């Protein structure tokens, strides 16, 4: 081979190699497209059967140039998301090629498909072993990567030997690959743990920054409890940290955080000059006078960790910054943590995904250490362009940071947020006001007044949320807010939020108290009557005083305040008994709901309440009352005084901005909700995909324990195909026990599990009579794989090793969706996410009814409607991850059919394809 080829292969970087030549393949694709192909997309032909035949011929050519060209195109297919699995036999033949360029691309391909095509990959084991001795470091590393990707227990000894040899390789890149292979081998065979720990201990001594992150990752996966392995390598890891790649830094920092918390004395003292024996005290030290205690001195190794990680707070990688923040939060003195607050605030300029995670952490930290973030309070103010989740997190942080010093500013900010068109955020703001009122007693009354005033708002969401928050606040001190409680009772008649209406759309006057401001309606009646009885003798004078109060322009603010408190019981009495006569004689003096009394009963508010009141009670009188209300509109003298009463929460501008609107009758949909619905667009609806009940539950059972092996105890299991009640990610399994012996079998239970799979065990069976039978339920999380769940089935006297292995079709939950949504989702799952095969159909299996029946019996699928008689579609979701599994069967002429499966879970999809292929060919 030419020297230039050799040099290029040797100088190829890891990033170039791991990309698999995808960039060059993409260029070839563009050239093919620009070359005037007869098809609309020449690159699309790569996945076609004809183009694959051409590639197979090129791979079998005697010319290296043809093979290299074919491999470049194949790797280009992989990088573009195309499925090239059917080329595996042709590609694997070239694994022994002497051309390094071909060999490198073959290994890239094999790493991708070795786990799916294990049988064929096993035939090349000898070639991979020779590759471990190749002079080129990339070939040695690639051979080890492919070897560790073949998940077959029979080659565990070969893998173990290869990892040991690679851990001593002269190339740090090969040693790094060996560290990654450790995790793969451990997951395949945990019994190799002791030997793998020896390799980890050896690699931890490696001085290369390329190896450090990978070996620590292997350490965390295999033996995180062996903290003794870190002791002698601690300082080296701290010093290498700055030069390690970013993701290696994240792993190492997390491990060192755990190490420091276990090995060093905590610096978290109220006064850092205090003695460290506050945490670890001996009897002798306790006997010393307090003025002789030694000041806390940080361990040099502790300081080394903080000093070497601090520069990483300026990293461009948000994950690195968050890892350092976590370290400082747990192990740094409080006086030094202000640095992490600055770094977190800087990350708020990151994309929204990162911003959301950062805000979540700040929200948690601000609960414990309020002063840490208080200087950056303005950085958390909500922007109108923020998504609702980010707005809510910012609001939570602002509430956590609220103090008597800044509460005035925050309440002004909250006042703006209540006006937001985002209803969910507006409701969250009202809740935040309630939390501030609870936490800061100095503003409790101010917040209560503002929230009560919000009850006159036209937004149902604002009103409903305000009622709930006010109720919670009043329950803490009900005796001090009797007047507000009475006022709220009257306002309930005017609240039209859907939570406060019955099926006919009318306000629930009696049951609106489903919140118990006080015990019953009878008590409310007694309170109102008792409050008014003391003034019955001078009733006519009070009536005239009321008229003067409602029409006077020169009342002082103190008189208004007094009036607002005294009018509630009096007006309540009049509303019940004299409403009609008041309409005739007093005109605008009527304020039946009292909604404007809180802030002094300003004229504009009286207009609003009177208009809504008359419209809802008697339509013929509306014109006369509207005329009277217009006369009072010319009296603006009370406006300035009214605004002073609201104090920090000037929430009255909600009604000032919008003119009063007369409401005819309470409706199920409020005007604000109607306007919101009118603004909705239905042009791009999201797919409707719902989990449904299984259409068919097979009666087939699987043997768990034979009666001979179980000494008379037999067990069978089957899959009922309904969602598991023990966990959303678990598969439901039912086990039936039968006692075929002549003795009672006691205490049937599961005692020991040999599998790493999560299981919800059944309750122990106390006893099973001879010839008796019992069925129990359990849940198993198979992690979307057909791996076996092994465990010990025990009785009082014996134990038996048993295992449950699910068919692939039982790892699914059926879903319903339209044909249009099916096609949309299928279009997203092409290329490597698609598996297909041509199958032979038995003549008596070609009718639509039989096709559906056969597939539903084989797998837990949902039937999707189809507009074509020869095309059948089925859909499901994997139980563990919820990934879509789309199955298409297209019947063709000549007793054949095309079976296509589209899913992101390519491994389980290919296994399901093998299971479904013989379904229609069998009798």
């Amino acid at each position: 081979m030419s020297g230039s080829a050799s040099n290029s292969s040797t100088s190829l970087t890891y990033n170039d190699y791991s990309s698999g030549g995808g960039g060059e393949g993409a260029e070839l694709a563009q050239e093919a497209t620009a070359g005037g192909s007869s098809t609309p997309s020449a690159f699309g032909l790569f996945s076609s059967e004809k183009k694959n035949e051409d590639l197979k011929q090129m791979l079998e050519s005697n010319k290296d140039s043809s093979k290299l060209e074919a491999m470049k195109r194949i790797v280009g297919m992989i990088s573009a998301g195309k499925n090239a699995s059917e080329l595996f036999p042709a590609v694997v033949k070239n694994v022994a090629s002497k051309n390094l360029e071909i060999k490198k691309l073959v290994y890239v391909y094999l790493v991708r498909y070795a786990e799916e095509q294990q049988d064929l990959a096993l035939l090349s084991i000898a070639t991979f072993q020779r590759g471990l001795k190749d002079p080129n470091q990339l070939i040695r590393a690639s051979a080890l990567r492919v070897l560790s990707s073949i998940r077959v227990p029979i080659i565990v000894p070969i893998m173990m030997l290869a990892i040991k040899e690679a851990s001593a390789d002269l190339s740090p890149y090969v040693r790094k690959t060996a560290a990654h292979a450790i995790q793969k081998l451990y997951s395949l065979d945990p019994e190799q743990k002791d030997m793998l720990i020896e390799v980890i201990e050896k690699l931890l001594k490696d001085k290369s920054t390329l190896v450090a992150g990978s070996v620590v990752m292997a350490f965390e996966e295999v033996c995180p409890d062996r903290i003794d392995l870190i002791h002698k390598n601690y300082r080296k890891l701290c010093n290498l940290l700055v030069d390690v790649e970013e993701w290696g830094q994240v792993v190492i920092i997390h491990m060192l955080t755990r190490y420091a918390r276990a090995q060093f004395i905590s610096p978290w003292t109220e006064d850092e000059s205090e003695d460290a024996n506050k945490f670890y005290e001996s009897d002798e030290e306790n006997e010393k006078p307090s003025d002789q205690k030694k000041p806390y001195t940080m361990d040099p190794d502790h300081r080394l960790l903080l000093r070497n990680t601090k520069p990483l707070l300026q990293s461009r990688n948000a994950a690195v910054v968050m890892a350092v923040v976590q370290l400082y939060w747990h192990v740094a003195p409080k006086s030094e943590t202000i640095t992490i607050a600055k770094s977190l605030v800087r990350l708020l300029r990151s994309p929204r995904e990162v911003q959301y995670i950062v805000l979540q952490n700040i929200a948690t930290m601000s609960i414990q250490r309020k002063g840490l973030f208080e200087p950056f309070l303005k950085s958390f103010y909500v922007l109108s362009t923020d998504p609702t989740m980010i707005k809510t997190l910012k609001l939570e942080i602002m509430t956590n940071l609220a103090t008597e010093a800044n509460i005035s500013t925050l309440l002004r900010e909250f006042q703006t947020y209540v006006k937001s068109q985002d209803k969910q955020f507006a409701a969250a703001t009202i809740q935040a006001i309630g939390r501030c009122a609870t936490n800061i007693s100095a503003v409790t009354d101010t917040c209560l007044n503002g929230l009560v005033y919000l009850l006159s708002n036209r937004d149902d969401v604002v009103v409903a949320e305000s009622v709930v928050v006010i109720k919670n606040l009043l329950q803490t001190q009900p005796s001090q807010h009797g007047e507000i409680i009475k006022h709220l009772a009257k306002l309930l008649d005017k609240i039209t939020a859907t939570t406060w209406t019955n099926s006919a759309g009318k306000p629930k006057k009696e049951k609106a108290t489903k919140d118990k401001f006080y015990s019953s309606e009878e008590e409310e009646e007694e309170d109102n009557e008792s409050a008014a009885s003391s003034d019955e003798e001078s009733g006519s004078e009070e009536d005239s005083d009321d008229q003067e109060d409602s029409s006077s322009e020169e009342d002082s603010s103190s008189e208004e305040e007094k009036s607002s408190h005294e009018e509630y019981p009096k007006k309540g009495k009049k509303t019940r008994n004299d409403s009609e006569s008041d309409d005739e004689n007093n005109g605008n003096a009527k304020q039946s709901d009292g909604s404007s009394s809180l802030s002094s009963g300003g004229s504009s508010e009286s207009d609003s309440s009177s208009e809504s009141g008359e419209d809802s009670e008697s339509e013929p009188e509306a014109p006369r009352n509207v005329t009277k209300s217009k006369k009072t509109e010319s009296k603006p003298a009370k406006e300035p005084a009214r605004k002073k009463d609201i104090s920090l929460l000037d929430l009255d501008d909600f009604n000032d901005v919008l003119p009063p609107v007369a409401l005819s009758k309470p409706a199920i949909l409020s005007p604000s909700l109607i306007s919101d619905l009118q603004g909705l667009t239905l042009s791009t609806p999201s797919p409707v995909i719902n989990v449904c009940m299984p259409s068919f539950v097979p009666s087939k059972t699987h043997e768990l324990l034979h009666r001979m092996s179980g000494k008379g105890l037999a067990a069978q299991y089957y899959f009922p195909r309904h969602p598991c009640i023990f966990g959303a990610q678990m598969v439901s399994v039912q086990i039936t026990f039968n006692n075929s012996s002549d003795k009672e079998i006691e205490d049937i239970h599961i005692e020991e599990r040999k599998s790493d799979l999560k299981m919800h065990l059944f309750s122990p069976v106390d006893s099973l009579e001879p010839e008796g039978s019992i069925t129990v339920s359990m849940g198993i999380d198979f992690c979307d794989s057909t791996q076996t769940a092994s465990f010990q089935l025990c009785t009082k006297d014996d134990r038996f090793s048993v295992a449950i292995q699910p068919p692939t079709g039982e790892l699914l939950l059926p879903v319903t969706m339209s044909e249009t949504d099916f096609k949309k989702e299928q279009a997203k799952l092409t290329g490597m996410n698609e598996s297909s095969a041509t199958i032979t159909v038995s003549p008596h299996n070609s009718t639509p009814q039989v096709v559906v029946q056969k597939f539903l019996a084989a797998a837990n699928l949902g039937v999707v409607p189809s507009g074509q008689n020869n095309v059948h579609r089925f859909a499901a979701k994997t139980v563990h991850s919820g990934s879509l599994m789309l199955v298409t069967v297209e019947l063709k002429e000549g007793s054949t059919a095309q079976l296509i499966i589209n899913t992101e879970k390519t491994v389980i999809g290919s296994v399901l394809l093998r299971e479904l292929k013989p379904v229609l060919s069998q009798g």
Side-chain angles (χ1 to χ4, degrees):
M1 189 182 71
S2 64
S4 61
S6 176
N7 292 335
S8 63
S9 63
T10 305
S11 62
L12 185 64
T13 64
Y14 167 60
N15 289 333
D16 292 333
Y17 175 67
S18 62
S19 66
E24 189 170 3
E27 291 176 4
L28 291 171
Q30 293 174 359
E31 292 176 3
T33 305
S37 173
S38 59
T39 61
S41 175
F43 188 61
L45 291 177
F46 285 170
S47 59
S48 68
E49 184 176 350
K50 181 178 179 181
K51 179 58 77 172
N52 287 345
E53 289 297 327
D54 293 343
L55 291 173
K56 291 177 182 178
Q57 293 178 5
M58 294 173 68
L59 289 171
E60 294 174 359
S61 172
N62 295 327
K63 297 182 179 179
D64 285 349
S65 59
S66 297
K67 293 181 179 180
L68 182 60
E69 179 69 13
M71 286 308 306
K72 287 181 178 179
R73 292 186 179 182
I74 293 172
V75 173
M77 291 171 60
I78 297 175
S79 65
K82 304 296 181 181
N83 185 6
S85 59
E86 65 177 36
L87 294 170
F88 193 95
V91 173
V92 77
K93 293 177 182 178
N94 294 280
V95 73
S97 174
K98 295 181 180 180
N99 186 310
L100 288 183
E101 292 295 325
I102 296 176
K103 189 174 245 184
K104 286 186 294 186
L105 295 178
V106 168
Y107 276 120
V108 170
Y109 178 92
L110 293 179
V111 168
R112 169 64 183 83
Y113 289 109
E115 189 169 349
E116 298 179 20
Q117 304 282 349
Q118 294 181 358
D119 294 339
L120 290 174
L122 283 173
L123 299 177
S124 305
I125 288 292
T127 304
F128 301 145
Q129 288 180 290
R130 288 196 297 271
L132 294 171
K133 307 293 184 181
D134 195 278
N136 189 303
Q137 59 174 342
L138 296 180
I139 299 299
R140 297 198 301 274
S142 298
L144 180 58
R145 188 182 291 111
V146 176
L147 195 62
S148 61
S149 298
I150 304 175
R151 320 255 323 144
V152 178
I154 195 174
I155 67 168
V156 165
I158 299 176
M159 290 175 61
M160 190 71 246
L161 181 60
I163 291 174
K164 283 185 176 181
E165 293 180 352
S167 65
D169 197 279
L170 295 178
S171 168
Y173 177 61
V174 177
R175 301 198 298 273
K176 176 186 179 74
T177 307
H180 286 294
I182 289 174
Q183 303 171 65
K184 294 183 180 180
L185 179 54
Y186 179 70
S187 64
L188 180 62
D189 186 4
E191 294 182 2
Q192 302 295 321
K193 181 176 181 178
D194 292 339
M195 298 181 68
L196 291 175
I197 290 178
E198 295 178 5
V199 180
I200 291 174
E201 185 175 12
K202 179 180 180 181
L203 289 175
L204 280 173
K205 301 176 183 178
D206 202 302
K207 297 181 179 180
S208 172
T209 57
L210 195 62
V211 179
S214 300
V215 67
V216 170
M217 188 180 298
F219 169 82
E220 292 284 80
E221 180 71 22
V222 178
C223 53
D225 55 326
R226 288 292 304 274
I227 206 72
D228 59 291
L229 299 180
I230 305 298
H231 289 327
K232 45 194 170 185
N233 301 297
Y234 170 81
R235 293 176 183 172
K236 183 200 69 177
L237 290 172
C238 289
N239 292 324
L240 289 178
L241 190 56
V242 178
D243 298 319
V244 175
E245 79 276 8
E246 293 173 340
W247 295 111
Q249 289 174 342
V250 174
V251 176
I252 295 175
I253 292 173
H254 283 311
M255 185 274 294
L256 291 178
T257 301
R258 190 165 57 86
Y259 179 89
R261 295 183 71 183
Q263 302 300 316
F264 300 133
I265 296 176
S266 172
W268 278 40
T269 57
E270 295 182 2
D271 183 357
E272 290 180 14
S273 64
E274 291 181 1
D275 189 4
N277 62 20
K278 180 177 181 179
F279 300 94
Y280 303 100
E281 294 181 335
S282 65
D283 293 336
E284 294 181 359
E285 290 173 332
N286 285 332
E287 295 174 359
K288 294 181 181 179
S290 59
D291 57 350
Q292 295 183 8
K293 290 183 177 181
K294 297 180 180 180
Y296 167 75
T297 303
M298 182 176 287
D299 187 284
D301 287 335
H302 191 169
R303 175 57 62 189
L304 174 68
L305 175 61
L306 296 176
R307 183 172 61 250
N308 285 14
T309 54
K310 187 174 181 179
L312 298 180
L313 287 171
Q314 305 300 320
S315 173
R316 63 182 181 180
N317 189 312
V320 175
V321 177
M322 291 302 301
V324 179
V325 166
Q326 182 190 41
L327 184 145
Y328 264 70
W329 176 259
H330 288 297
V331 303
K334 291 184 177 180
S335 60
E336 299 181 21
T337 53
I338 187 64
T339 310
I340 69 174
K342 294 179 180 178
S343 298
L344 288 174
V345 172
R346 176 175 63 86
L347 286 181
L348 293 180
R349 297 191 293 267
S350 303
R352 287 177 177 174
E353 295 79 4
V354 176
Q355 190 179 4
Y356 180 73
I357 299 298
V358 173
L359 287 171
Q360 280 186 317
N361 284 271
I362 293 177
T364 302
M365 294 178 178
S366 61
I367 295 175
Q368 300 180 29
R369 311 263 295 272
K370 181 180 298 186
L372 193 62
F373 297 97
E374 192 173 354
F376 309 100
L377 182 59
K378 289 187 177 181
S379 300
F380 307 115
Y381 283 179
V382 174
L383 303 177
S384 59
T385 55
D386 289 336
T388 301
M389 291 190 300
I390 290 181
K391 286 180 182 177
T392 306
L393 279 174
K394 287 185 176 181
L395 189 65
E396 181 182 348
I397 294 170
M398 294 167 65
T399 307
N400 293 343
L401 300 181
T403 62
E404 290 190 14
N406 61 28
I407 188 61
S408 175
T409 303
L410 287 181
L411 289 178
R412 298 278 183 184
E413 192 73 14
F414 292 166
Q415 171 182 329
T416 304
Y417 299 163
V418 174
K419 305 175 187 177
S420 173
Q421 297 298 317
D422 186 338
K423 308 304 179 186
Q424 181 181 348
F425 176 59
T429 302
I430 295 173
Q431 295 174 3
I433 295 174
R435 290 198 300 272
C436 291
T438 302
N439 298 335
I440 304 175
S441 58
V443 296
T444 301
D445 291 339
T446 300
C447 293
L448 258 178
N449 291 338
L451 290 170
V452 170
Y453 197 80
L454 284 177
L455 296 179
S456 61
N457 192 275
R458 297 195 307 161
D459 192 328
D460 290 347
V461 175
V462 172
V463 173
E465 198 65 45
S466 299
V467 170
V468 175
V469 174
I470 291 171
K471 183 204 73 171
N472 294 334
L473 288 175
L474 293 182
Q475 283 179 339
T476 60
Q477 297 176 327
S479 60
Q480 300 180 16
H481 301 286
E483 297 301 328
I484 291 182
I485 293 175
K486 296 172 185 177
H487 180 57
L488 286 173
K490 300 171 185 177
L491 287 182
L492 290 178
D493 288 342
K494 298 297 180 182
I495 296 176
T496 60
T498 54
T499 46
W500 302 97
T501 57
N502 56 24
S503 59
K506 297 180 180 179
K508 293 185 177 180
K509 298 182 180 179
E510 293 81 18
K511 294 186 178 179
T513 58
K514 296 184 280 179
D515 292 320
K516 288 286 184 181
F517 287 111
Y518 38 84
S519 59
S520 66
E521 183 180 342
E522 287 75 15
E523 293 181 9
E524 174 191 352
E525 184 76 24
E526 291 175 3
D527 290 342
N528 289 334
E529 291 180 357
S530 63
S533 61
S534 61
D535 296 328
E536 283 181 354
E537 296 179 358
S538 57
S540 59
E541 295 180 3
E542 291 180 359
D543 289 343
S544 61
D545 291 340
D546 291 341
Q547 294 178 8
E548 292 176 3
D549 289 341
S550 63
S551 60
S552 175
E553 300 178 6
E554 300 176 355
D555 289 345
S556 65
S557 59
S558 61
E559 290 174 345
E560 295 171 6
E561 199 169 14
K562 179 179 179 181
S563 173
S564 65
H565 289 288
E566 291 180 354
E567 282 179 350
Y568 299 146
K570 302 172 189 175
K571 302 301 180 182
K573 179 80 173 179
K574 288 186 178 183
T575 300
R576 293 175 181 271
N577 302 326
D578 303 319
S579 60
E580 294 182 1
S581 61
D582 283 347
D583 287 342
E584 297 289 340
N585 301 324
N586 296 335
N588 289 346
K590 177 186 175 184
Q591 296 179 354
S592 62
D593 65 346
S595 61
S596 61
S597 299
L598 182 67
S599 300
S600 76
S603 59
S604 64
E605 297 173 22
S606 300
D607 298 341
S608 175
S609 62
S610 63
E611 287 184 32
S612 60
E614 268 87 43
D615 285 353
S616 61
E617 293 177 8
S618 57
E619 294 182 1
E621 296 182 1
R624 179 185 58 189
N625 287 317
V626 169
T627 303
K628 293 180 180 180
S629 66
K630 289 183 178 178
K631 294 180 181 179
T632 60
E633 288 180 359
S634 62
K635 303 174 183 179
K638 291 186 180 180
E639 194 69 22
R642 178 169 59 92
K643 288 200 172 184
K644 290 181 181 178
D645 292 341
I646 301 301
S647 186
L648 298 178
L649 283 178
D650 292 335
L651 298 172
D652 54 304
D653 53 358
F654 292 110
N655 285 340
D656 291 344
V657 174
L658 298 173
V661 177
L663 301 178
S664 58
K665 290 185 178 180
I668 296 297
L669 294 179
S670 65
S672 61
L673 186 57
I674 293 175
S675 63
D676 290 343
L677 291 176
Q678 290 174 345
L680 293 178
T681 174
L682 301 178
S683 58
T684 56
S686 58
V688 179
I689 304 173
N690 298 317
V691 176
C692 62
M693 295 301 294
S695 302
F696 179 85
V697 179
S699 58
K700 179 181 179 181
T701 60
H702 308 268
E703 186 175 78
L704 182 66
L705 180 65
H706 192 271
R707 60 184 179 85
M708 298 297 294
S709 303
K711 299 180 180 179
L713 177 65
Q716 296 83 30
Y717 66 93
Y718 80 104
F719 300 91
R721 290 190 173 181
H722 56 65
C724 184
I725 61 175
F726 306 119
Q729 295 182 322
M730 290 186 172
V731 175
S732 183
V733 182
Q734 291 193 351
I735 303 176
T736 300
F737 296 106
N738 294 282
N739 185 359
S740 61
S741 68
D742 56 354
K743 298 180 180 179
E744 185 182 60
I745 300 178
E746 299 180 353
D747 193 19
I748 304 174
H749 64 282
I750 295 176
E751 183 172 296
E752 179 183 354
R753 289 183 289 170
K754 297 182 178 180
S755 173
D756 294 331
L757 300 178
K758 295 181 180 178
M759 301 170 59
H760 187 282
L761 309 181
F762 60 84
S763 300
V765 178
D766 294 335
S767 63
L768 187 61
E769 298 293 333
E771 303 302 322
S773 176
I774 189 172
T775 300
V776 297
S777 298
M778 63 185 299
I780 305 176
D781 184 357
F782 288 101
C783 300
D784 290 347
S785 69
T786 55
Q787 57 183 314
T788 302
S790 304
F791 52 92
Q792 292 284 327
L793 181 62
C794 306
T795 65
K796 182 180 180 180
D797 302 316
D798 302 286
R799 62 176 56 208
F800 313 98
S801 296
V802 295
I804 296 178
Q805 184 172 20
T808 309
E810 305 303 333
L811 301 176
L812 309 174
L813 288 175
V815 299
T816 59
M817 58 196 305
S818 67
E819 183 178 10
T820 302
D821 290 340
F822 183 98
K823 292 179 178 178
K824 287 181 180 179
E825 295 300 317
Q826 188 180 38
K828 302 175 185 177
L829 298 170
T830 57
M832 288 189 293
N833 296 321
E834 181 176 292
S835 303
S836 63
T838 301
I839 58 178
T840 303
V841 181
S842 178
H844 53 272
N845 289 340
S846 58
T847 62
Q849 294 80 4
V850 175
V851 172
V852 172
Q853 180 184 358
K854 290 279 189 177
F855 273 81
L856 294 182
N860 194 13
L861 302 170
V863 180
V864 177
S866 177
Q868 301 167 277
N869 292 332
N870 65 322
V871 178
H872 303 275
R873 296 183 174 90
F874 306 88
K877 283 186 176 181
T878 57
V879 175
H880 177 81
S881 64
S883 299
L884 270 181
M885 185 76 67
L886 306 179
V887 179
T888 306
V889 184
E890 183 178 359
L891 300 178
K892 299 181 178 295
E893 297 179 358
S895 299
T896 61
Q898 184 76 11
L899 176 61
I900 303 174
I901 295 181
N902 299 85
T903 181
E904 291 180 349
K905 295 289 183 179
T906 54
V907 175
I908 190 175
S910 61
V911 177
L912 181 63
L913 182 70
R914 288 203 301 267
E915 290 186 3
L916 295 180
K917 282 173 65 175
V919 165
L920 297 182
S921 60
Q922 296 175 347

